Amino acid sequence: MVKIGCSSLFFWEYTIEEIVDIFLELGLKNMEFFPENPEFWKKRNDLDYINSIKSEISKIDITIHAPYIELNPSSTNENIRCVTLMETFWAMDLSKKFNAKLITIHAGKRPTNRIPTAEEYTNFDDYLEKSINYALKNEITLCLENSPKKINNICYSVESMKKTLDNFKSLYMTLDIAHARENSLEFIKNLHEKIKNMHISGVNSKDHYPLSESKINFDETLNLLVNNYNYNGALNFEFNDLIYEKTLSKHEKMDILANEINYLEKIIE
């Protein structure tokens, strides 16, 4: 049975304890934990804080998203590649501490707005090989998220993702349907055996709108995966609060999320 969850970043301004309480109150079964939540990021080297958070997070199932802001595993700058790998290893260590069995990473990209060259792909393959080995050593499922369609991004197409997954048999996939857009069905038809995690949101003027406000209908996509291919992983909402014209209160965010939970449940019932 699927576990409906949400990204911790939607409630980025609150403490981790508050976010856990919100999710439990709404009946969510999973949290996609982003360690780049501001409060956590500033205290991530404080062992007492980490232990206190561990007891809170143990109240809900979690998947973890490796740090990605300002990072790039395909960068031409070897220092950025090194830090990206270090942060990925750190996120996997955190997964072990928090008893999370699955972690999501981002694909690489060419730093400039041009088509990736062989150099970017070589850098990315090196990152994947080292990350997969570390994940296997720690018994963690490593999932690569499909990128938004941009000229300099790696793994935004079905073909590119399939090639990468074929080359790395121990690598799995986090499917972000808002990134996939009209190709979400093709991702599922071709790669459903590799999909272990999901990011759920709609597409309007930008990505990561509520699913109920999406200009692209993802009903068939979600039904196919859950009811035809028997997907039983997490369905994590991933919303961007910057799409709203005002700052949302906690209760407004909770109302949005509650509405989306009901909307999703009707789609996959």
Side-chain angles (χ1 to χ4, degrees):
M1 186 174 179
V2 295
K3 296 177 290 186
I4 297 178
C6 184
S7 162
S8 62
L9 277 184
F10 187 50
F11 294 90
W12 63 270
E13 66 269 57
Y14 300 102
T15 65
I16 304 304
E17 293 93 337
E18 287 179 285
I19 297 172
V20 171
D21 287 344
I22 289 167
F23 284 17
L24 292 176
E25 183 177 339
L26 291 172
L28 291 174
K29 303 298 183 184
N30 195 79
M31 173 190 288
E32 177 100 327
F33 183 66
F34 279 73
E36 288 171 299
N37 270 77
E39 182 220 22
F40 184 88
W41 191 253
K42 293 175 182 177
K43 299 180 181 180
R44 67 176 183 151
N45 295 315
D46 183 334
L47 186 58
D48 290 337
Y49 172 76
I50 293 296
N51 288 334
S52 68
I53 290 302
K54 181 178 178 180
S55 65
E56 289 296 316
I57 283 184
S58 66
K59 297 175 182 178
I60 192 169
D61 291 338
I62 70 164
T63 54
I64 286 183
H65 196 301
Y68 71 94
I69 298 172
E70 300 180 287
L71 301 177
N72 179 13
S74 295
S75 177
T76 52
N77 185 325
E78 63 181 347
N79 293 319
I80 292 176
R81 296 200 307 272
C82 181
V83 170
T84 303
L85 185 64
M86 288 172 57
E87 293 292 353
T88 301
F89 284 3
W90 171 81
M92 284 191 263
D93 290 340
L94 185 69
S95 297
K96 290 285 285 186
K97 289 180 182 176
F98 287 172
N99 297 315
K101 300 298 183 182
L102 184 148
I103 187 167
T104 294
I105 58 173
H106 274 202
K109 61 184 177 181
R110 187 170 178 178
T112 56
N113 196 33
R114 298 177 187 272
I115 296 172
T117 66
E119 180 182 6
E120 280 80 43
Y121 281 99
T122 297
N123 291 339
F124 185 47
D125 286 351
D126 180 66
Y127 165 78
L128 286 178
E129 183 176 357
K130 292 173 180 175
S131 297
I132 291 167
N133 288 338
Y134 199 78
L136 290 172
K137 179 182 176 182
N138 288 282
E139 300 180 320
I140 292 171
T141 300
L142 190 67
C143 292
L144 176 64
E145 181 178 347
N146 57 303
S147 303
K149 185 177 180 180
K150 294 182 180 179
I151 190 171
N152 61 323
N153 276 348
I154 295 172
C155 287
Y156 69 74
S157 68
V158 176
E159 295 75 19
S160 179
M161 180 64 81
K162 185 177 187 307
K163 182 177 180 180
T164 298
L165 293 173
D166 286 345
N167 288 339
F168 296 94
K169 300 299 183 183
S170 297
L171 180 66
Y172 293 89
M173 180 180 179
T174 290
L175 175 61
D176 187 310
I177 60 173
H179 290 173
R181 296 195 168 212
E182 293 88 350
N183 293 322
S184 60
L185 271 174
E186 292 306 310
F187 271 103
I188 287 173
K189 290 176 181 177
N190 286 277
L191 300 172
H192 59 90
E193 293 180 351
K194 281 287 191 174
I195 299 171
K196 299 293 184 182
N197 190 40
M198 291 278 287
H199 290 169
I200 307 297
S201 63
V203 175
N204 205 301
S205 56
K206 297 180 181 178
D207 294 347
H208 305 310
Y209 265 76
L211 194 62
S212 61
E213 298 178 23
S214 181
K215 290 185 176 179
I216 298 174
N217 189 309
F218 291 109
D219 291 14
E220 185 178 357
T221 295
L222 294 166
N223 255 313
L224 184 68
L225 186 65
V226 174
N227 296 317
N228 287 58
Y229 292 123
N230 300 314
Y231 174 79
N232 61 0
L235 298 173
N236 291 304
F237 290 113
E238 190 177 66
F239 303 137
N240 182 1
D241 63 355
L242 291 176
I243 64 175
Y244 297 93
E245 294 180 353
K246 66 169 187 172
T247 300
L248 299 174
S249 69
K250 180 170 74 172
H251 291 294
E252 286 173 325
K253 287 187 175 184
M254 289 178 68
D255 286 344
I256 290 168
L257 187 50
N259 180 70
E260 291 302 296
I261 294 168
N262 291 332
Y263 186 87
L264 176 59
E265 287 176 339
K266 289 177 181 178
I267 292 174
I268 62 175
E269 66 182 3

